[in-house]
Amino acid sequence: MDDRQSRLRAAERRLDDALARLETVLAAHRGRPRPDDGEAEGADGAAPTPESDLGEAVAEVRRQNDELKALSRDAADRLDHAIAQIDLLLED
């Protein structure tokens, strides 16, 4: 059970880190001029898009959230199984 708890804590830390990165991207996005405000073009000729940075951060947060949900479901299933076994022992 300790391994599951440590994995859950690690997933929570990764989620916190991803949220911090998302907040950083959002803060940077607020400070950037809009591409239609005369912002310089990037090396590929296209204006840089804060949306691509934001999209990457959101995708990472979603991935980590999905992982955390899966770990939580697994932990809940294991607890349900353990409780059922205890109930069986108490009935004897």
Side-chain angles (χ1 to χ4, degrees):
M1 200 62 132
D2 290 328
D3 182 49
R4 297 280 180 199
Q5 290 175 345
S6 64
R7 287 177 54 202
L8 183 60
R9 285 189 193 110
E12 288 173 339
R13 281 192 304 272
R14 287 192 305 273
L15 180 59
D16 288 340
D17 291 344
L19 288 172
R21 287 192 306 273
L22 178 59
E23 289 171 352
T24 300
V25 169
L26 288 172
H29 174 65
R30 284 186 214 110
R32 289 185 183 174
R34 298 177 55 134
D36 58 352
D37 290 341
E39 186 174 275
E41 293 181 352
D44 61 356
T49 59
E51 291 80 11
S52 62
D53 291 341
L54 181 60
E56 290 173 16
V58 169
E60 176 65 13
V61 168
R62 284 185 178 155
R63 185 193 65 74
Q64 291 180 356
N65 187 40
D66 290 343
E67 182 179 339
L68 186 57
K69 283 181 186 178
L71 286 171
S72 296
R73 278 192 301 271
D74 186 45
D77 290 344
R78 291 174 60 97
L79 285 171
D80 288 343
H81 181 69
I83 291 169
Q85 287 181 328
I86 290 170
D87 284 344
L88 285 174
L89 290 173
L90 291 175
E91 288 176 5
D92 289 342

